[in-house]
Amino acid sequence: MFGRKAVKKPAPKTAKPVEARPAEVKPAEARQHAEEKPAKKGGLTEAELMRAPASQYMSAEQLAFFRDRLLETQKELLEKANLTSEHLREHELEADPTDQATIEEEYALELRARDRERKLLKKIDEALRRIEEGSYGYCEETGEPIGIARLIARPTATLSVEAQTRREQKQRLYGE
């Protein structure tokens, strides 16, 4: 130990805590299980949703899938907000001004992230309302289906890809 420098190895970056992963599941199998995981017990999987015929677009099962996904995201965001509130209440003043500035900058970043999540919560509430009204999954501008793939990627989407592209082009041209 004498004469050698201690080298600190960075902690491996993982999506989930190690203890949350089953020991017998290999990475390829984990991806397969993630793709086949239903939103709710007895519900549809993403793969089944993608394979569904166009005639079943926004069926009761599909709406239930998206409702469950939205509610789960909403629950996670609310838990993060509660943790942030608790974290900010525990704030202690540091004697070193540099340390204090670093802590305050971290808090500012955390608050900005929560603000973005607050806006997402509003969009989730609107999406849940559209599910109840029966307009979920259809473009606000054209009335055409938004598409399962887009809704899986962004469950709060209100515009089809084409309508969103037109809106973004208009914003670039006219600065709206």
Side-chain angles (χ1 to χ4, degrees):
M1 189 150 177
F2 293 103
R4 294 190 319 193
K5 291 183 177 179
V7 178
K8 197 173 193 181
K9 292 183 181 179
K13 296 180 180 178
T14 58
K16 295 181 182 177
V18 177
E19 62 273 358
R21 292 184 182 167
E24 68 277 2
V25 177
K26 295 180 177 79
E29 292 175 23
R31 281 192 302 274
Q32 180 181 1
H33 291 299
E35 292 171 3
E36 293 298 319
K37 185 181 173 192
K40 186 178 178 183
K41 196 173 189 177
L44 294 175
T45 63
E46 284 185 17
E48 291 170 337
L49 250 144
M50 295 297 291
R51 288 191 303 262
S55 63
Q56 292 181 3
Y57 187 72
M58 291 300 113
S59 65
E61 286 180 317
Q62 290 181 351
L63 288 171
F65 173 89
F66 287 112
R67 180 184 301 109
D68 292 342
R69 172 143 314 165
L70 289 162
L71 289 170
E72 182 63 31
T73 303
Q74 183 182 50
K75 178 182 168 189
E76 290 171 9
L77 293 174
L78 290 172
E79 286 172 2
K80 280 185 185 180
N82 289 336
L83 288 175
T84 297
S85 295
E86 290 174 21
H87 186 239
L88 291 175
R89 276 189 230 119
E90 296 171 357
H91 175 63
E92 294 180 19
L93 293 176
E94 294 291 326
D96 182 16
T98 306
D99 289 343
Q100 184 64 35
T102 301
I103 290 170
E104 288 177 11
E105 182 62 26
E106 288 172 358
Y107 286 165
L109 288 171
E110 195 170 349
L111 288 172
R112 273 184 260 163
R114 294 299 91 75
D115 188 51
R116 284 191 303 274
E117 291 170 356
R118 180 187 55 80
K119 292 174 184 174
L120 179 56
L121 280 168
K122 184 178 175 187
K123 289 181 180 183
I124 289 172
D125 288 338
E126 291 169 1
L128 291 168
R129 180 186 47 77
R130 286 193 312 274
I131 287 174
E132 296 305 316
E133 292 174 351
S135 62
Y136 183 81
Y138 294 93
C139 180
E140 287 182 343
E141 287 185 7
T142 65
E144 297 292 317
I146 291 174
I148 296 293
R150 178 160 167 75
L151 290 171
I152 287 173
R154 187 176 182 96
T156 58
T158 59
L159 300 172
S160 65
V161 174
E162 297 81 15
Q164 182 67 37
T165 303
R166 282 192 304 273
R167 181 175 282 184
E168 289 171 3
Q169 287 173 344
K170 187 178 177 183
Q171 287 173 339
R172 277 193 299 270
L173 286 173
Y174 303 110
E176 292 180 355

